[in-house]
Amino acid sequence: MAVTATSTLLKRLTQLGLVDSDKTLKMITEKGSQYKNLPELLITEKLITSAILADAAAKISLTTQFDLDHYDSSLVPEDLRNEKLVRKTNMLPLGKRGRSMFLAVVDPTDIQTIEDCEFNTGLNAEVVVVDFTKLSKLIDTVFDNSFNQEFGHTEWDLGSLGIEDKADDDFVGVETDKDDQPIISFINKMLLDAIRKGASDLHFEPYEKMYRIRFRIDGILNEVANPPVELATRLSARLKVMSRLDIAEKRVPQDGRIKLKLSAKKSIDFRVSTLPTIWGEKIVMRILDSDSAMLGIDVLGYEPEQKALYLAALNQPQGMILVTGPTGSGKTVSLYTGLAILNTEQTNISTAEDPVEINLAGVNQVQVNPRAGLTFSSALKSFLRQDPDVVMVGEVRDLETAEIAIKAAQTGHLVLSTLHTNSAPETLTRLLNMGVPAYNVASSVSLIIAQRLARRLCSHCKKPEQLPEAELLKQGFLPEQLGKITIFKPVGCDNCTSGYKGRVGIYEVMPITPKMADIIMQGGNSIDISKQAQLEGINNLRQSGLIKAAAGMTSLAEINRVTQG
C-alpha cells in the first residue's frame, strides 16, 4: 500500500497549517511506498507529532478522542484479535457491544479502511480517535502477549504473521511436516518480533536445563523467551532448514542466510551462524536491513566538521578512507553510506566483502570465498583490471591485501575499507606493523574514521542529572563549560528500554595532514600522531562522546561504557 497525496486527512492538516505542504508532498513522492498509511509517514518522518495529529484528527472528524494510557490490553475481544487485519489497517477493536465494536483509529477520515474492518468482522464500527504511537505500542502488547512463551499452545496461524512458508528463492524454508507447524510459527514470530523491536542480532542458546532466546537491541542483549529445552533440537533444525544448512552436521560450525520477504517491496536478510556447544547448537542471526544503508549521512551522528571531512575525502579522485572500530560499532553503515553517495551513473564501484551484508543496486559486489581461492587480495587484483573508480574492501586483514589496496589508492582509485583498531591514530601504526612501508601509508591514506555506537536517551523520560563540578572536570569537560551544560540520565518508561531508545554514532574523524605524514615518515607512533591530531583540533572519541552527552543525546554512563572512560 502506497501513501498518496489525495488523503482527506492530509488536505485538512494542510489547511490548518499543521504540516508543511511542500515538505510533506516531497516526502510522499520519495518515501510514500515505504509506509502503510499517511499517519505512519507523517510521524516516522517527524512531520508532525502523534499527540498533535490525534488532537487534530478528532477535531476534524468531530470524533471522540480516547486515551490509551489506562486501557487494559486484555480487554481486546479474543474473537477480534486478527493480527494480520489489525497490522494491515492499524485499527484495533477495543471492545464489543451487541453487533457493534469500539474501533481505535488514527485517521477517522479513512472511511474505506474502516469499512474493510466492518466487513471482515461483521460488526458496525463506533470509531474513537487515538494517538498513533500509543496504538502501535498497544498492538504490539496485545499480540506479543497472545502467544505462550512456554510453548504450551499449538494453534498457530501462519497467515496472521503475513508470512508464506514456501521453498523458493524468495523465502525461508521448505515444506515440512504438519507436526512442525508450532515450531515454524514460533520461529517466524521471533523473527518478526526482532524486526519490529529494532534488534540487530538474535541468539538461540541451548543449556543443560534451559533454552534461552535473546535479542540485541541498541547494542545490549535482552532475554525475550524461554521455550522448553526439549525443543532445542527441533528449533535448531528448523533454523538450519531455513538457512539451507546441513541439518545432519552438528559437529562443526556452519554459515548461511535467510531471506525474509515481508511484502512485495520489502525483504530483510538474516546472516546465520551455528556453533556446536556441549548442550547443542547455538545459533546467532544478524539482521541485515538494506534500509539502514540508506539512512543518509545527516542522521548518523557526525558533527558538522566531521561530516565535511568525510564528504571532502569521498569527493577526492584517489586515496584511502579507513573506518575502524570493534564489531557492532556501525562501520558497515558508514561505509555503505559513503558508497551510496558515490553511487552514480558515471562511477564504477566494486566491493569485496565477507559476507555481502547489504545489496546495493548499481554496485558490483563480490562475496569472497577463500576455499575457492577468492580472497580479498585476489578480488582486488581483479578489480584493478575492471576499470574501477571506487573500490571497497570489507577488511584489510593481511599485508598482501594492504599492499594491493594502497597501490590502488596511489594509482587514481578511491579505496574504502575497515580495520579493527581502537582509535584513528592506532590504525596507522597497525598498517606499519603489518609491514606496509611508512612512505606508502603517508602517501595513500587520506582519512581515518574511528567510531562507536552509544545508546540514545529516551526523549520521553530522560531527566537532568546533578553532578558536582569536580566530577564534570574529571569526566573531561572544560572549565569554561561548567554552568552552561546540562547532563541527562536514563529513567525508563513504556516508550524505551531502560531509559534508552535507538543509538547515535560517536566519531573520531582524522584527515592525514602534511604534519601527520611527516610524523609517520619519521617513525612516530600512535601517541605522537594523537598529540598532533589534538593540536590540529581533531576530537578523539572521548571528546566527541562528551559533545553528545552535553547535547542531551546520551548519558555520561553510556559514554564511559563505549569509550572505556
Side-chain angles (χ1 to χ4, degrees):
M1 182 185 302
V3 178
T4 68
T6 59
S7 164
T8 301
L9 179 64
L10 177 59
K11 292 178 181 177
R12 295 300 305 276
L13 292 174
T14 303
Q15 291 170 357
L16 293 172
L18 294 175
V19 296
D20 184 309
S21 177
D22 293 339
K23 188 174 181 180
T24 302
L25 292 175
K26 180 182 178 183
M27 194 65 68
I28 289 174
T29 301
E30 293 178 352
K31 300 187 177 183
S33 62
Q34 300 177 18
Y35 296 99
K36 290 186 293 186
N37 50 57
L38 177 68
E40 183 183 29
L41 181 145
L42 292 174
I43 293 167
T44 304
E45 298 296 338
K46 302 187 186 304
L47 300 174
I48 193 172
T49 67
S50 57
I52 293 175
L53 176 59
D55 187 56
K59 292 177 181 177
I60 288 169
S61 61
L62 301 177
T63 305
T64 302
Q65 184 177 170
F66 183 76
D67 187 357
L68 294 174
D69 278 342
H70 304 294
Y71 177 79
D72 184 351
S73 61
S74 65
L75 296 177
V76 175
E78 288 290 339
D79 59 337
L80 297 180
R81 296 191 181 204
N82 184 335
E83 184 173 4
K84 183 176 181 180
L85 178 65
V86 169
R87 294 199 182 279
K88 177 182 177 182
T89 61
N90 202 42
M91 297 181 180
L92 179 68
L94 300 179
K96 186 168 64 171
R97 183 175 59 193
R99 298 306 305 162
S100 297
M101 62 177 170
F102 297 99
L103 188 64
V105 307
V106 177
D107 180 4
T109 69
D110 188 357
I111 304 301
Q112 181 61 56
T113 305
I114 294 172
E115 290 178 349
D116 287 345
C117 289
E118 291 179 323
F119 177 79
N120 279 278
T121 59
L123 300 172
N124 297 318
E126 294 185 25
V127 172
V128 291
V129 174
V130 296
D131 182 288
F132 175 88
T133 303
K134 294 179 181 179
L135 177 60
S136 298
K137 285 176 52 185
L138 176 60
I139 290 172
D140 284 344
T141 299
V142 168
F143 293 105
D144 283 347
N145 290 340
S146 65
F147 73 97
N148 184 350
Q149 288 189 335
E150 295 302 321
F151 219 78
H153 297 305
T154 58
E155 295 182 5
W156 299 86
D157 178 12
L158 269 183
S160 71
L161 300 178
I163 296 178
E164 297 179 359
D165 188 45
K166 296 179 181 178
D168 58 35
D169 290 337
D170 286 329
F171 191 56
V172 294
V174 297
E175 295 294 340
T176 53
D177 190 273
K178 187 175 180 180
D179 291 341
D180 285 333
Q181 194 62 56
I183 295 288
I184 294 170
S185 296
F186 178 75
I187 289 178
N188 287 344
K189 182 71 173 174
M190 288 292 99
L191 300 188
L192 287 179
D193 281 351
I195 295 168
R196 196 178 299 139
K197 294 176 180 179
S200 61
D201 301 85
L202 299 81
H203 291 238
F204 293 80
E205 303 170 308
Y207 297 95
E208 182 180 13
K209 296 181 179 179
M210 62 170 282
Y211 193 97
R212 177 173 69 178
I213 299 175
R214 293 188 290 174
F215 294 170
R216 188 177 294 279
I217 301 173
D218 296 335
I220 305 296
L221 283 169
N222 300 274
E223 188 171 304
V224 296
N226 296 104
V229 69
E230 294 80 11
L231 296 174
T233 302
R234 293 174 65 190
L235 289 170
S236 62
R238 174 58 186 167
L239 289 168
K240 289 167 74 173
V241 166
M242 294 167 72
S243 312
R244 304 290 193 265
L245 299 178
D246 183 355
I247 61 173
E249 180 56 77
K250 301 178 182 180
R251 299 165 299 174
V252 297
Q254 298 185 65
D255 294 303
R257 289 176 81 98
I258 296 173
K259 186 170 186 178
L260 186 65
K261 191 170 183 180
L262 300 180
S263 68
K265 296 183 178 180
K266 176 70 172 176
S267 61
I268 291 180
D269 284 350
F270 294 78
R271 188 176 76 206
V272 183
S273 172
T274 73
L275 180 70
T277 73
I278 59 173
W279 303 116
E281 290 180 285
K282 172 175 179 174
I283 298 178
V284 176
M285 309 173 68
R286 169 152 290 190
I287 299 177
L288 309 174
D289 186 358
S290 58
D291 287 349
S292 65
M294 305 305 173
L295 291 173
I297 195 170
D298 291 324
V299 299
L300 295 185
Y302 287 95
E303 299 299 328
E305 62 275 10
Q306 294 176 332
K307 172 187 169 184
L309 288 170
Y310 190 17
L311 291 176
L314 289 171
N315 286 325
Q316 295 299 313
Q318 65 183 49
M320 181 183 288
I321 299 173
L322 294 171
V323 182
T324 182
T327 301
S329 60
K331 299 189 298 297
T332 298
V333 173
S334 285
L335 281 177
Y336 278 120
T337 299
L339 290 179
I341 293 170
L342 295 168
N343 189 14
T344 66
E345 183 182 345
Q346 294 77 32
T347 307
N348 178 21
I349 304 175
S350 295
T351 73
E353 306 173 56
D354 184 21
V356 174
E357 294 195 9
I358 298 171
N359 296 322
L360 291 178
V363 175
N364 307 292
Q365 296 174 274
V366 174
Q367 168 78 53
V368 301
N369 185 353
R371 291 182 181 178
L374 181 56
T375 61
F376 281 127
S377 56
S378 62
L380 265 175
K381 290 176 182 177
S382 297
F383 290 167
L384 297 180
R385 296 191 291 269
Q386 292 268 316
D387 185 31
D389 297 298
V390 178
V391 171
M392 195 270 273
V393 188
E395 183 182 349
V396 177
R397 295 178 178 173
D398 52 52
L399 177 58
E400 184 181 10
T401 305
E403 287 178 334
I404 300 171
I406 285 172
K407 178 183 176 182
Q410 292 173 333
T411 55
H413 308 96
L414 183 63
V415 179
L416 290 78
S417 189
T418 71
L419 274 174
H420 287 282
T421 59
N422 290 325
S423 68
E426 289 177 36
T427 305
L428 295 169
T429 55
R430 173 67 61 84
L431 290 172
L432 295 172
N433 290 338
M434 280 185 181
V436 179
Y439 62 84
N440 277 342
V441 174
S443 62
S444 60
V445 180
S446 55
L447 184 76
I448 302 174
I449 300 173
Q451 64 181 77
R452 301 289 188 275
L453 288 177
R455 288 180 294 171
R456 188 187 291 269
L457 284 168
C458 174
S459 59
H460 291 89
C461 65
K462 68 179 182 181
K463 71 176 184 179
E465 180 177 15
Q466 301 298 323
L467 292 173
E469 291 188 350
E471 178 62 23
L472 292 174
L473 292 172
K474 181 181 177 181
Q475 291 289 337
F477 289 103
L478 301 175
E480 55 266 29
Q481 292 179 283
L482 301 181
K484 300 178 182 179
I485 59 173
T486 302
I487 302 300
F488 290 85
K489 64 180 180 179
V491 177
C493 68
D494 293 338
N495 295 290
C496 64
T497 303
S498 303
Y500 298 97
K501 188 172 185 179
R503 290 192 285 181
V504 62
I506 297 173
Y507 304 93
E508 177 183 19
V509 182
M510 188 181 81
I512 306 305
T513 62
K515 290 186 177 180
M516 289 185 190
D518 288 340
I519 293 173
I520 296 169
M521 293 293 292
Q522 294 167 12
N525 56 30
S526 60
I527 296 175
D528 300 322
I529 296 168
S530 180
K531 288 179 180 177
Q532 181 60 37
Q534 290 289 295
L535 291 175
E536 297 188 22
I538 303 298
N539 287 327
N540 59 29
L541 284 168
R542 177 71 182 177
Q543 292 164 333
S544 294
L546 292 177
I547 291 173
K548 295 292 192 296
M553 295 183 187
T554 188
S555 65
L556 271 178
E558 185 67 2
I559 296 302
N560 289 334
R561 182 181 72 86
V562 299
T563 64
Q564 299 175 348

